[in-house]
Amino acid sequence: MKRLMYLKNLWVVVVLPFFVSGCLKSKDDPFDYNVDIYVLQKNNEVDGVTEAKFATYIGIYNPIGDLASAEVNGPTSMSMVKTGINAYETKLADNEFSTTLPQGVYRITAANSQGQVASHNPSIRIDKPLGKLVVESFEYNAATNTVKAKWLPVENANAYYMMYSLQSSQSNYYRVNNRYIYWHDKDEQGVTRGEICLDGMELIAGTPLKIAVVAGREGEQGTLMLESEPLYIKIKVNEESSVPQ
C-alpha cells in the first residue's frame, strides 16, 4: 500500500503517490486492494460570495490487476465506474456536490474474477471546511523543466500539495491516476510555495500533463482537499523539454 509521507518545512520533495486510507482484504484467500478516499471541496463565487460544496471521492485499484467489480454504500448515493483493467472510482458530477460536509461510514466492496470478495468500512468526519485558495503565481519554466507555484495561506488548511495527472483531457481524466507531491506543516502552517521538477518522472512523450495546487485539511477521520484551476503541460517527443499546451 502506498502512502504519503509527512514532511515539514520542505519546498522541493520527491514524487509521492496516492493519498491512501486503507486496504481491502479478502477473508477467503487473502488479497489486497488499495483504497483512495477523501472529501473534495469546490468553491463557487455567487454574487461575490464564496459557496463551498463537497463530495466524497473513492478510488479502488489493484496494482497487479484483476479487479472485476466494485461498489460503495454510504450516507449518500454513490456509483463506481471502471477506469481501467484494475481500477474503479466515483465519478463526481456537479450535481453530486452538496453544501453539507459528508459524514458517516462507507462500506466499500470489491471482487476479483475468481469471485473472491474484499471489503473495507472507512469512516469520514470532517470538522471544518477550507477557505478560499488563491494562487498568486503558477508557471512552467522550460529551461529547468520545473513548475513553480505560490499561494496565499488557506483558512483551516494544515497541508498543501501539488497534484499531477498524466490523463488530463476531459474525456479521459481519471482521478484515480492522480499523484501528489506533499508539503506538511501542522505547527506553523507556513508553506506557501512549491516547486516540482518533471525530470525523472517517467512521463510519456506527447502526453498532456495536468498540474494543480491543492490545499488540504487532515484529521483523524479523513482529509478534505481543495484544488486550484489546473495548469496543462505537454511532454514533447525526442526527449526535448516540455512546453505549455
Side-chain angles (χ1 to χ4, degrees):
M1 185 173 62
K2 305 172 184 177
R3 291 187 181 276
L4 288 171
M5 290 187 289
Y6 283 82
L7 303 172
K8 181 175 178 178
N9 295 331
L10 294 179
W11 289 342
V12 182
V13 298
V14 296
V15 177
L16 302 172
F18 290 95
F19 184 88
V20 177
S21 354
C23 287
L24 299 173
K25 295 183 180 295
S26 168
K27 294 181 180 179
D28 302 325
D29 187 10
F31 59 89
D32 294 346
Y33 291 137
N34 292 343
V35 181
D36 185 14
I37 178 169
Y38 54 83
V39 176
L40 185 65
Q41 176 176 331
K42 283 188 175 183
N43 288 342
N44 298 316
E45 294 289 334
V46 180
D47 297 328
V49 178
T50 300
E51 180 186 58
K53 289 189 175 183
F54 314 92
T56 301
Y57 169 78
I58 298 174
I60 302 172
Y61 64 101
N62 183 352
I64 62 173
D66 193 17
L67 188 59
S69 65
E71 65 178 34
V72 175
N73 293 297
T76 59
S77 177
M78 304 178 71
S79 60
M80 304 292 289
V81 296
K82 193 166 188 177
T83 56
I85 192 171
N86 65 341
Y88 282 77
E89 71 173 4
T90 52
K91 297 294 284 185
L92 300 179
D94 288 340
N95 61 1
E96 294 178 283
F97 283 78
S98 168
T99 55
T100 302
L101 276 165
Q103 310 280 358
V105 178
Y106 294 78
R107 180 168 178 79
I108 307 169
T109 305
N112 63 11
S113 58
Q114 285 75 47
Q116 297 166 331
V117 178
S119 63
H120 184 56
N121 300 291
S123 175
I124 287 185
R125 184 170 297 278
I126 307 296
D127 59 346
K128 296 178 181 178
L130 294 166
K132 189 174 183 179
L133 173 57
V134 177
V135 178
E136 293 185 304
S137 63
F138 195 18
E139 60 184 4
Y140 170 72
N141 186 320
T144 59
N145 205 24
T146 58
V147 177
K148 293 183 179 181
K150 291 179 65 178
W151 55 87
L152 298 179
V154 176
E155 184 181 6
N156 296 328
N158 59 16
Y160 296 93
Y161 319 78
M162 288 181 72
M163 176 274 290
Y164 72 92
S165 175
L166 294 181
Q167 293 183 305
S168 53
S169 70
Q170 291 184 352
S171 61
N172 71 349
Y173 169 59
Y174 303 133
R175 187 169 292 275
V176 73
N177 291 323
N178 285 356
R179 298 293 188 269
Y180 295 94
I181 297 175
Y182 182 39
W183 293 264
H184 188 86
D185 190 348
K186 274 190 173 180
D187 297 328
E188 300 176 12
Q189 300 184 27
V191 180
T192 56
R193 58 177 171 170
E195 176 181 343
I196 59 175
C197 181
L198 303 182
D199 292 339
M201 286 191 182
E202 299 181 356
L203 303 177
I204 302 172
T207 300
L209 184 67
K210 176 180 180 179
I211 304 177
V213 174
V214 183
R217 178 169 180 79
E218 297 181 347
E220 293 182 357
Q221 287 189 282
T223 292
L224 179 64
M225 303 179 78
L226 173 64
E227 298 175 0
S228 72
E229 290 296 319
L231 175 72
Y232 291 95
I233 295 171
K234 182 173 288 185
I235 308 305
K236 295 186 70 175
V237 295
N238 299 325
E239 298 183 355
E240 296 179 24
S241 296
S242 308
V243 295
Q245 183 174 343

